[in-house]
Amino acid sequence: MKRGFLFIAVLLFAAGVGEASAQARIITGQVTDSLSGAPIAGGRVVVQGTTLEAPIIRDGTFSIGAPARDVVLVITSIGFQRHEVRVGVGQNVVQVRLRRDVFRLEEIVVTGQATGIRRRNLANAVSTVRRADIERVPAQSIEHALQGKVPGADIQTNSGAPGGGAQIQLRGVTSIIGASTPLYVVDGIIISDVAIPSNQNAVTRASGGSNPALTQDAQVNRIADLNPYDIESIEVLKGAAASAIYGSKASNGVVIINTRRGSVGRPQINFSQRFGFYSLSNKIGSRVFETEQEAIDAFGPSAADSYTPGVSFDLEDLLAGQSDLSFETAASISGGSENTRYFVSGVWKDDAGIVENTGFERQSLRVNLDQRFGDRWNLSLGTNITHTLANRGLSNNDNAGVSWFMVYPFTPNFVDLRPDAQGFFPDNPFIESNPLQTAALMTNDEDVYRLFGSARLEYDAVRNARHWLRVIGVAGADYFTQENSLLFPPELQFERIGGQPGTSLLSNSNNLNINLSGNIVYQFTPEDGAFSATTSAGLQYETRDLRTARIVSNNLSGGLGIVNAGTNIGVTELRLRVEDLGFYVQEEVLTMQDRLLLTAGIRGDQSSNNGDPDELFFYPKLASSYRLGDGLKVRIAYGQSGNQPLYGQKFTPVSPRQNIEGLPTLVVQGTVGAEDLQPERQSEIEGGVDVTFANNRATLELTAYHKSISDLLLQRAVAPSTGFATNIFNGGSMRVNGLEVALAIVPVQRADFSWVFRTTFGLNRSQITSLPPDVPPFLTGGFGTSLGAFRVEPGKSASQIVGNDTTAAGDVVVVPLGDANPDFKVGFINDIQFGSFHFFTHFDWQQGGDIINLTKLLYDFGANTFDYDVVEADGQLRGERRLAGFGSQAGLYIEDATFLKLRELTISYDLPQSITQGLFGGARFARVSISGRNLFTASGYSGHDPEVSNFGNQNIARNIDVAPFPPSRSWWFSIDLGL
């Protein structure tokens, strides 16, 4: 023991004075871009074999102490290739030119809770999206900014409603009824991405059908609160081979977000002002009635009262034809010294919706501070306050006939629903709701205030040429309040006839996530430099608290919209608390002249969501990569991760009921709890090849993976004699195989002209491999086999769609009719710079996948589909033919989801220095640009948008189209200024 203390003391002494005494001279220099000759701002200069280092400040210069001997300086800067330069004993000034690292091989990628490694040595397929790829075109949330840029990621917009609402599925289906969203980590802190329904179901009664959960309220997952312009980079760990170090919450992948930090140099101010508009990008269309008799045949004799020959209205345009001004103002200031660096940013975003009384606002303020205390202590602080307000209107499925596109299928386009000169809306004579009146008078506001706070304290206990021991503590909190306020005033047509006119809905939610972790990282490099070994270990503790209280008030009096103005008031409350505790140990060895990387690690987790909250579940990982040369690397990795049971699945739920013989009671619901629930377990092996060729002008990343998921969370029926209907348990398994490709080419790279082309490709195939003997194949999601539903069945795809079909003998049978999973997805990016002009395009192509188009079925029910009256060869109307197969031929309403979209387009121009030098005393740059998002869609799909998914974040029940919010495109004019 005494020898151990003595050894540590010697190390501490060596770290404190050994290198300091070796500083006998000062070397200065400047670092510039090898193509443009411009100074490179930011980066580090290190004396090889020592701990001596210095920053590269904003003008590209540096000054570093060095021993009085020949030394090698290692220069690194984000976006440029690592460079080594030998400096002789008599030389004290150097000029360094760095080559651009177009393929980001030098960037550090996360490999553990507190460690990272250069991408050129990385053993996993980790996708990184940089700030420049996020901020070119305004996006309502980071999911939209990531669409088509990450191979293996299926990012799907749930509807066109303002404020986001998207789902990310990484490497296919990973669960059936478990959590479906990836884990989000911002600056080392796990944050909440919960989606809280607005409770519009109290009016639409959508959950009264075969989907009782409140998944049809067009809810927003809370990652939409983040300001995309605060993000420096996003790293996506797509499978267990990479995400195992996050344990039982990582089966759906991990999205690691690093926000922007200050850099050494004088203060720099960046300012952006954007103006734009949204417009309806696609219409469904409706039937055109040529004669009064056609109207009568479709809607009955009363249709004659509304029909005027030659008069028709574009009902979709009247509802969603707005293109009001939207704007976005963003500013930031950053700078600092070697010891103190800061970054402060703010944004004010106001997007006007395409429907009256809809839109999205975000105000955000971020302050990041990095402070060094002496040579050993480093403190990083981050705070972010955001406010978002989403006005989302009334869309999606309902059983009351009130949401917009549940009404339009039964409303012919010859009826005039517009208000009169006094602003009074006429009643809809065909269905008891006027969508234009509903849009104008109702409110559906989601108001969120959110505070993130993070602190990272790092202590260099030992640091010299051979030993580096760090102790790292991380603490963070994520708190938000969400208020959903919905008002349907008594004068609405459907409220007047409902018996209790006027509905006011109020939901208040508050959520608090707390993160605490301690980590130790020890790096050893022997004197001969033959290898380096990094050992890390840590302990993490996390709590998640969510409370939601809902008030439903009907029969409002006195014209008041407050909930206590109703005569029929109901209150419900939900409380959720989860505690997680985990630890990890990991070892990384880089040897054979930095060519061979070996990694091994294990994670242990406990969670209060498990049946036994004290039981430990372990998740190992192994990985290796070998660079055969500078242009070829082979890699293989294996890992396990988990998917925790959802909160409450282990309990037997009860609900309060009053007035049973005058006494208040608790009534057991239909699901029985399970005391032995445990996380689903995913095991994944991936292998790949990374190739750099064409004289370092092209790179190819090829990855194949196989993952198996066992201990699936399932729900089964139990004997009625038990008093219950179902219970949740672990059982069954599935597998997913996939292929991912990323190709980047630089056809031209000159100071005045550069062209970078990138493409991504991803596909996956899933299969249910087993179900427990007492669990037969079952449906999960959808509206039954008469319309098309998803069925879990051994030997079949996890996302297969089945439905009724009719045999030649006239028998109705259930058969496979499609699959929600696409055949493959491809992204194409062109980034061209010619002189002062910059041209950027991003196309996103999805091949295959199927959609259950129930909006089209609704239009057929109303005899109002755009092609309903097309006469077939046998004289039958096309719409009538489809309806004749309703209930017996579900495939008539299942369509191909193939599409090609122009996701992003940007054309920008950098003003010449002769102009910028006269702006505000001399600007660093000034840029004007025109950009757009989702400008063009080519698809054979007859609905609004082939990316629709009415039910929010789901594992399997995706691609269901039931009256969603219509999609939009956006155009923007931007001015960017740097001071």
Side-chain angles (χ1 to χ4, degrees):
M1 182 67 71
K2 291 182 178 180
R3 290 183 179 178
F5 282 122
L6 178 61
F7 177 69
I8 293 175
V10 171
L11 288 178
L12 289 172
F13 177 78
V17 300
E19 296 296 344
S21 63
Q23 299 181 39
R25 59 173 173 150
I26 301 295
I27 300 175
T28 61
Q30 186 176 41
V31 183
T32 57
D33 186 329
S34 63
L35 281 179
S36 66
I40 294 175
R44 306 294 293 177
V45 178
V46 177
V47 179
Q48 192 177 69
T50 76
T51 62
L52 302 172
E53 60 178 287
I56 302 171
I57 61 177
R58 287 275 171 74
D59 60 359
T61 61
F62 67 88
S63 177
I64 186 170
R69 55 178 171 80
D70 289 357
V71 297
V72 175
L73 300 183
V74 180
I75 297 95
T76 58
S77 182
I78 294 175
F80 293 87
Q81 296 182 19
R82 183 173 182 267
H83 184 70
E84 297 180 2
V85 57
R86 180 171 295 277
V87 183
V89 66
Q91 182 184 3
N92 292 321
V93 178
V94 295
Q95 294 289 326
V96 181
R97 304 182 69 191
L98 297 186
R99 297 180 61 185
R100 296 179 184 178
D101 183 19
V102 177
F103 306 132
R104 303 165 182 163
L105 298 177
E106 299 295 336
E107 71 179 355
I108 302 299
V109 179
V110 169
T111 56
Q113 294 278 357
T115 58
I117 199 162
R118 285 191 298 163
R119 178 173 291 277
R120 66 169 61 251
N121 296 114
L122 191 63
N124 301 96
V126 177
S127 296
T128 303
V129 180
R130 306 294 302 183
R131 170 160 48 108
D133 298 320
I134 299 171
E135 62 183 15
R136 285 190 177 93
V137 184
Q140 290 185 341
S141 69
I142 62 172
E143 300 117 319
H144 297 118
L146 290 176
Q147 283 181 308
K149 298 173 183 175
V150 178
D154 187 2
I155 304 175
Q156 190 170 356
T157 302
N158 292 331
S159 79
Q167 54 185 337
I168 298 181
Q169 193 172 79
L170 301 174
R171 291 187 172 175
V173 178
T174 55
S175 182
I176 296 174
I177 64 170
S180 62
T181 59
L183 185 70
Y184 286 91
V185 181
V186 178
D187 292 337
I189 302 301
I190 297 173
I191 69 167
S192 175
D193 186 40
V194 64
I196 303 173
S198 67
N199 202 31
Q200 74 176 36
N201 174 78
V203 170
T204 63
R205 299 197 294 274
S207 66
S210 59
N211 291 274
L214 298 181
T215 58
Q216 302 176 61
D217 282 6
Q219 63 263 35
V220 179
N221 37 320
R222 291 268 56 92
I223 199 66
D225 298 330
L226 287 182
N227 175 19
Y229 300 106
D230 287 342
I231 295 173
E232 181 63 37
S233 67
I234 300 176
E235 297 174 19
V236 183
L237 314 182
K238 291 170 284 188
S243 65
I245 209 67
Y246 286 92
S248 65
K249 296 190 287 289
S251 277
N252 299 310
V254 182
V255 179
I256 300 174
I257 299 173
N258 302 299
T259 62
R260 297 171 64 183
R261 319 294 301 189
S263 56
V264 178
R266 65 180 180 84
Q268 288 193 349
I269 299 173
N270 291 322
F271 176 80
S272 298
Q273 181 62 63
R274 296 175 172 88
F275 297 99
F277 63 90
Y278 290 80
S279 63
L280 181 63
S281 61
N282 189 37
K283 299 177 183 179
I284 297 176
S286 62
R287 182 178 176 181
V288 176
F289 294 88
E290 301 291 347
T291 66
E292 181 179 290
Q293 188 58 48
E294 287 183 9
I296 293 174
D297 291 342
F299 295 99
S302 62
D305 298 334
S306 302
Y307 184 82
T308 302
V311 174
S312 66
F313 300 92
D314 188 336
L315 297 180
E316 291 181 80
D317 190 67
L318 290 174
L319 175 71
Q322 297 196 154
S323 297
D324 294 339
L325 180 67
S326 299
F327 71 86
E328 188 172 75
T329 304
S332 67
I333 180 170
S334 64
S337 64
E338 185 174 354
N339 290 327
T340 304
R341 294 178 291 119
Y342 59 88
F343 173 82
V344 181
S345 72
V347 68
W348 183 9
K349 180 181 182 65
D350 190 344
D351 290 343
I354 59 175
V355 177
E356 188 175 2
N357 283 336
T358 66
F360 176 68
E361 297 180 33
R362 180 194 291 121
Q363 297 91 40
S364 175
L365 175 65
R366 173 174 290 277
V367 179
N368 287 347
L369 177 67
D370 297 279
Q371 178 67 49
R372 295 182 62 181
F373 300 95
D375 295 330
R376 296 182 182 275
W377 295 91
N378 288 277
L379 176 64
S380 295
L381 300 175
T383 58
N384 184 209
I385 301 174
T386 63
H387 170 237
T388 60
L389 176 62
N391 313 109
R392 297 175 66 80
L394 188 64
S395 60
N396 278 18
N397 179 46
D398 76 55
N399 288 309
V402 296
S403 71
W404 302 324
F405 283 92
M406 295 292 288
V407 175
Y408 271 167
F410 305 95
T411 305
N413 61 10
F414 55 75
V415 63
D416 189 357
L417 300 178
R418 297 174 299 174
D420 60 21
Q422 287 73 42
F424 293 104
F425 288 87
D427 283 349
N428 186 343
F430 298 93
I431 185 172
E432 296 170 338
S433 179
N434 182 338
L436 302 186
Q437 181 193 42
T438 303
L441 301 184
M442 69 159 287
T443 58
N444 182 356
D445 298 341
E446 184 167 283
D447 203 356
V448 177
Y449 285 89
R450 190 166 189 172
L451 172 65
F452 301 97
S454 65
R456 175 188 172 102
L457 181 62
E458 183 173 334
Y459 173 60
D460 284 350
V462 177
R463 189 171 188 186
N464 56 39
R466 297 177 59 189
H467 306 278
W468 186 11
L469 177 63
R470 292 177 290 157
V471 180
I472 303 169
V474 179
D478 169 21
Y479 176 75
F480 70 80
T481 64
Q482 175 178 317
E483 179 186 275
N484 291 93
S485 177
L486 292 82
L487 175 63
F488 300 87
E491 55 266 36
L492 291 177
Q493 181 182 355
F494 67 84
E495 285 285 350
R496 295 198 311 269
I497 63 176
Q500 298 188 67
T503 301
S504 181
L505 308 174
L506 180 63
S507 298
N508 283 290
S509 304
N510 60 78
N511 184 90
L512 175 62
N513 281 27
I514 294 178
N515 293 238
L516 299 172
S517 70
N519 307 271
I520 297 176
V521 182
Y522 171 62
Q523 183 174 329
F524 172 70
T525 305
E527 190 171 350
D528 60 3
F531 71 93
S532 65
T534 302
T535 305
S536 58
L539 181 70
Q540 289 85 38
Y541 173 74
E542 181 193 3
T543 64
R544 307 190 294 277
D545 286 274
L546 172 63
R547 294 189 176 190
T548 299
R550 304 187 188 279
I551 302 174
V552 177
S553 178
N554 298 112
N555 201 26
L556 303 179
S557 58
L560 298 178
I562 55 178
V563 290
N564 61 339
T567 63
N568 183 8
I569 300 175
V571 180
T572 59
E573 183 179 8
L574 167 71
R575 296 187 182 187
L576 177 156
R577 178 176 174 82
V578 180
E579 294 187 10
D580 294 334
L581 180 65
F583 68 89
Y584 75 94
V585 178
Q586 179 171 286
E587 182 71 29
E588 293 176 295
V589 178
L590 188 59
T591 185
M592 295 181 65
Q593 298 180 330
D594 287 355
R595 293 189 180 276
L596 176 65
L597 174 69
L598 302 171
T599 301
I602 191 166
R603 168 86 183 213
D605 269 348
Q606 297 175 341
S607 175
S608 62
N609 272 351
N610 300 330
D612 182 355
D614 298 321
E615 184 176 359
L616 270 171
F617 295 91
F618 292 95
Y619 305 94
K621 62 176 290 188
L622 296 168
S624 178
S625 69
Y626 181 70
R627 292 193 295 118
L628 282 73
D630 290 337
L632 176 63
K633 179 183 71 177
V634 293
R635 49 186 166 79
I636 188 168
Y638 170 82
Q640 293 185 357
S641 62
N643 194 17
Q644 294 178 1
L646 299 179
Y647 177 81
Q649 285 184 332
K650 71 176 184 178
F651 300 130
T652 300
V654 295
S655 61
R657 181 173 295 177
Q658 295 182 348
N659 202 24
I660 296 181
E661 296 185 356
L663 298 174
T665 61
L666 292 176
V667 178
V668 177
Q669 296 182 9
T671 300
V672 61
E675 297 180 354
D676 58 349
L677 278 187
Q678 63 186 42
E680 299 174 323
R681 182 172 294 269
Q682 179 184 128
S683 302
E684 180 186 64
I685 184 168
E686 72 168 39
V689 177
D690 299 344
V691 185
T692 303
F693 56 99
N695 195 25
N696 292 325
R697 300 282 285 273
T699 182
L700 172 68
E701 297 180 8
L702 179 65
T703 303
Y705 60 88
H706 169 85
K707 59 183 179 182
S708 301
I709 301 99
S710 59
D711 296 326
L712 288 171
L713 292 166
L714 298 175
Q715 181 172 324
R716 64 184 166 195
V718 297
S721 60
T722 64
F724 298 96
T726 60
N727 84 308
I728 308 295
F729 72 108
N730 291 101
S733 61
M734 62 182 293
R735 68 165 181 253
V736 181
N737 297 321
L739 178 68
E740 297 166 1
V741 182
L743 173 67
I745 303 174
V746 185
V748 182
Q749 189 175 39
R750 301 199 307 261
D752 60 342
F753 181 32
S754 66
W755 175 17
V756 179
F757 169 77
R758 288 179 284 164
T759 184
T760 60
F761 172 90
L763 65 81
N764 68 81
R765 300 290 183 267
S766 66
Q767 184 182 92
I768 302 295
T769 52
S770 70
L771 289 176
D774 60 340
V775 178
F778 59 91
L779 301 180
T780 175
F783 294 90
T785 57
S786 63
L787 300 176
F790 298 86
R791 183 166 67 183
V792 175
E793 180 180 0
K796 299 298 179 66
S797 167
S799 51
Q800 72 162 334
I801 301 173
V802 301
N804 293 346
D805 197 7
T806 304
T807 67
D811 299 323
V812 176
V813 295
V814 177
V815 298
L817 294 174
D819 199 308
N821 187 54
D823 298 334
F824 59 81
K825 295 181 74 75
V826 184
F828 302 99
I829 292 177
N830 280 286
D831 192 353
I832 301 172
Q833 188 164 3
F834 182 71
S836 298
F837 288 92
H838 199 150
F839 183 69
F840 179 88
T841 61
H842 174 204
F843 286 91
D844 195 6
W845 170 26
Q846 174 177 296
Q847 180 63 42
D850 294 290
I851 299 175
I852 303 173
N853 187 354
L854 301 184
T855 305
K856 187 172 185 177
L857 172 65
L858 293 171
Y859 271 87
D860 276 353
F861 279 155
N864 204 15
T865 322
F866 71 95
D867 64 344
Y868 188 93
D869 57 345
V870 174
V871 180
E872 301 284 6
D874 60 358
Q876 188 176 19
L877 298 184
R878 183 175 297 174
E880 291 179 351
R881 180 183 294 278
R882 286 194 297 262
L883 282 178
F886 172 66
S888 60
Q889 292 180 298
L892 293 169
Y893 295 98
I894 296 176
E895 299 187 40
D896 184 17
T898 297
F899 66 81
L900 176 67
K901 289 192 175 188
L902 177 55
R903 289 285 188 198
E904 298 178 12
L905 169 68
T906 300
I907 303 173
S908 63
Y909 174 70
D910 290 329
L911 274 62
Q913 289 188 355
S914 59
I915 295 177
T916 60
Q917 289 177 354
L919 296 174
F920 304 100
R924 290 181 292 113
F925 69 87
R927 181 180 303 117
V928 294
S929 60
I930 297 175
S931 60
R933 181 175 297 279
N934 293 328
L935 299 180
F936 165 80
T937 300
S939 177
Y941 181 58
S942 65
H944 267 138
D945 192 335
E947 288 188 291
V948 67
S949 183
N950 270 85
F951 293 90
N953 297 324
Q954 298 287 315
N955 291 294
I956 293 176
R958 302 151 67 92
N959 294 26
I960 300 178
D961 185 332
V962 193
F965 197 106
S968 62
R969 62 171 64 91
S970 63
W971 281 101
W972 298 90
F973 172 74
S974 307
I975 300 173
D976 299 290
L977 186 65
L979 302 176

